[in-house]
Amino acid sequence: MPSVSEPARCTVAEPEQRIEVEVAYAGVTEQALIPVVSEQGLTVKEAVERSGVMNQFPEIDLGVNKVGVFGKLARLDQALATGDRVEIYRPLIADPKEQRKKRAAEGKVMRKGAGEAASDDA
């Protein structure tokens, strides 16, 4: 019976680990969901910059706009993992607390999960 030799073992450097993330932004009239593929260690700021979303939406200012990953606020230097979605948030148009105070002052009643409720005077 012929002898079987072991396969030659060679040490080849493993390819650089890649991660895939998405950058999301919703403007007033349009939205973008842009995939970004990069090396591990990619930060939120780098993902936003590499996505090109700031060219498409010049109103984005990372010094003003808050960012998050899947709805949780994140720092610009936070490292990302494969599958993460970076979200860029627009400033609020109206303060929710102020809107509730205004409705209360006007005597409007809000019910959970419903629009304006009819007053009891009817």
Side-chain angles (χ1 to χ4, degrees), residues 2 5 7 29 32 38 41 45 50 58 64 67-68 74 94 96 98-100 105 116:
S5 62
T29 59
S38 188
K45 182 178 181 180
R50 292 180 188 182
V64 175
V67 295
E98 290 300 318
Q99 292 300 311
R100 285 192 294 274
E116 293 180 13

Side-chain angles (χ1 to χ4, degrees), residues 24-33 53 55-59 90:
Y25 179 72
V28 176
T29 59
E30 61 181 316
Q31 60 187 5
L33 186 60
V53 72
N55 296 330
Q56 188 177 351
F57 299 94
E59 68 268 20
R90 290 186 323 215

Side-chain angles (χ1 to χ4, degrees), residues 12-91:
V12 177
E14 292 198 21
E16 188 176 354
Q17 295 260 337
R18 309 294 275 174
I19 64 169
E20 297 179 24
V21 299
E22 293 179 321
V23 175
Y25 179 72
V28 176
T29 59
E30 61 181 316
Q31 60 187 5
L33 186 60
I34 304 165
V36 176
V37 178
S38 188
E39 69 281 348
Q40 284 191 345
L42 180 71
T43 65
V44 169
K45 182 178 181 180
E46 292 168 340
V48 170
E49 290 171 347
R50 292 180 188 182
S51 73
V53 72
M54 292 190 295
N55 296 330
Q56 188 177 351
F57 299 94
E59 68 268 20
I60 296 174
D61 178 356
L62 293 180
V64 175
N65 294 84
K66 293 185 180 197
V67 295
V69 176
F70 287 119
K72 288 188 165 189
L73 287 179
R75 297 181 326 273
L76 292 173
D77 63 351
Q78 178 177 322
L80 298 170
T82 291
D84 282 347
R85 183 182 64 229
V86 176
E87 302 159 340
I88 305 166
Y89 306 121
R90 290 186 323 215

